[in-house]
Amino acid sequence: MMVYMCIEWLGDIIFYEGWQRVIGSRGNRRGSPVLLARLERCMFFITGETRALVLKDIRTFLRDPMQWSQVLIFFGLLALYFANLRSFHYHVLAERWRNTIAILNILSVSLVMCSLGSRFIYPQLSLEGQGFWMLGPSPVSMTKVLLTKFVLSLTGMLTISVALMLLSSNMLNAAPGARVLAVILACAISLVVCGLSNGLGAIFLDLNQQNPAAIVSSFGGTLNLVLSLAFTLSAILPFGFVLHLHFMHQLSLSQLYIGLLVSGTWLTAITTAGTVLPLWLGSKSLKKREF
């Protein structure tokens, strides 16, 4: 309490005068960015307006401990669990049980991806707030803004999900085919989660709401989470069912290939629809709005 009183007393004496000196000495000079200055130079291959949007979103994310700390906790716990899989001796189990655990691990990563997509990616357009009107008359099209946010969120989601899938497969001594399947599912789910979250975020845009929890719990946020979970189950269950029957020796090798081909075709169709359709509808919705 005494230290607090001393700080408050010193602040009353020196803060205002120091603040006035700093503001007065700056003049009209443009200050160089402090955060991610080197990254800005490394992104020379991206156009100026796109680079500005990307860096703004990254800086906003890093400056908010509530966002990056939750991402770190969720995926950090999964990484810690996957890294210690051999402590549970899962890698010495029968192949059918290792397959079951691998599918459950893919499902666990996917569910966390759906949750974080709804929590962080969906409300990012709405959280632009009243400043969003500046993008309307600017030379940057609404479609480009939406696609920039989609690519940025997809890059982060792919990096984390693929790394976790590879770590899990390696700790379980999974076959090369199972590792490839895990990576393919991670990429498909990342595409759809980012596509749905950005697309529905544009369709149900609410610039008057500044509370992320209220945006996430709205009708659009709930719909986004439900559709993401539905896609996750629709993508994983066919492959899990086919592989389970194969490891139970109820499918021949030719039947296994047919089952994987059908499941792969189904995954391609729903991934394309779940990624392209929300982004297209979101782009149309943004173009119709008046900013």
Side-chain angles (χ1 to χ4, degrees), residues 59-190:
R59 287 173 178 142
T60 301
F61 177 80
L62 294 178
R63 285 169 178 162
D64 187 359
M66 289 296 295
Q67 294 195 42
W68 58 259
S69 61
Q70 292 185 41
V71 173
L72 186 63
I73 290 172
F74 275 107
F75 286 111
L77 289 174
L78 281 174
L80 185 63
Y81 161 65
F82 291 156
N84 289 276
L85 281 175
R86 294 191 179 181
S87 301
F88 303 106
H89 303 289
Y90 290 157
H91 61 290
V92 298
L93 295 175
E95 195 170 15
R96 64 176 182 272
W97 292 112
R98 280 188 290 156
N99 168 69
T100 302
I101 294 172
I103 295 297
L104 291 175
N105 288 342
I106 295 173
L107 183 62
S108 64
V109 174
S110 303
L111 294 178
V112 174
M113 290 163 58
C114 293
S115 176
L116 294 182
S118 297
R119 172 62 182 85
F120 299 117
I121 302 175
Y122 173 79
Q124 65 178 347
L125 275 173
S126 297
L127 289 177
E128 297 287 345
Q130 298 302 318
F132 201 82
W133 70 269
M134 291 187 293
L135 294 175
S138 70
V140 183
S141 65
M142 290 294 105
T143 301
K144 192 170 187 178
V145 172
L146 184 61
L147 290 178
T148 300
K149 290 184 176 293
F150 167 72
V151 173
L152 179 60
S153 58
L154 178 63
T155 302
M157 193 76 77
L158 276 176
T159 302
I160 298 174
S161 61
V162 170
L164 287 176
M165 295 295 188
L166 291 176
L167 177 61
S168 172
S169 301
N170 182 59
M171 289 299 172
L172 288 172
N173 284 338
R179 301 187 186 198
V180 172
L181 177 60
V183 172
I184 290 174
L185 287 172
C187 294
I189 294 169
S190 298

Side-chain angles (χ1 to χ4, degrees), residues 196-218:
L196 278 172
S197 299
N198 284 286
L200 293 179
I203 295 172
F204 297 100
L205 185 66
D206 185 3
L207 299 177
N208 297 319
Q209 182 59 257
Q210 294 300 309
N211 184 5
I215 299 173
V216 171
S217 60
S218 63

Side-chain angles (χ1 to χ4, degrees), residues 229-272:
L229 294 174
F231 170 82
T232 298
L233 294 177
S234 301
I236 295 176
L237 288 180
F239 287 100
F241 181 71
V242 170
L243 292 176
H244 179 72
L245 290 180
H246 170 67
F247 289 125
M248 294 296 291
H249 305 291
Q250 296 182 15
L251 287 180
S252 62
L253 194 58
S254 59
Q255 291 173 329
L256 172 65
Y257 291 150
I258 294 174
L260 291 177
L261 179 61
V262 172
S263 300
T265 305
W266 165 251
L267 178 65
T268 303
I270 61 176
T271 301
T272 304

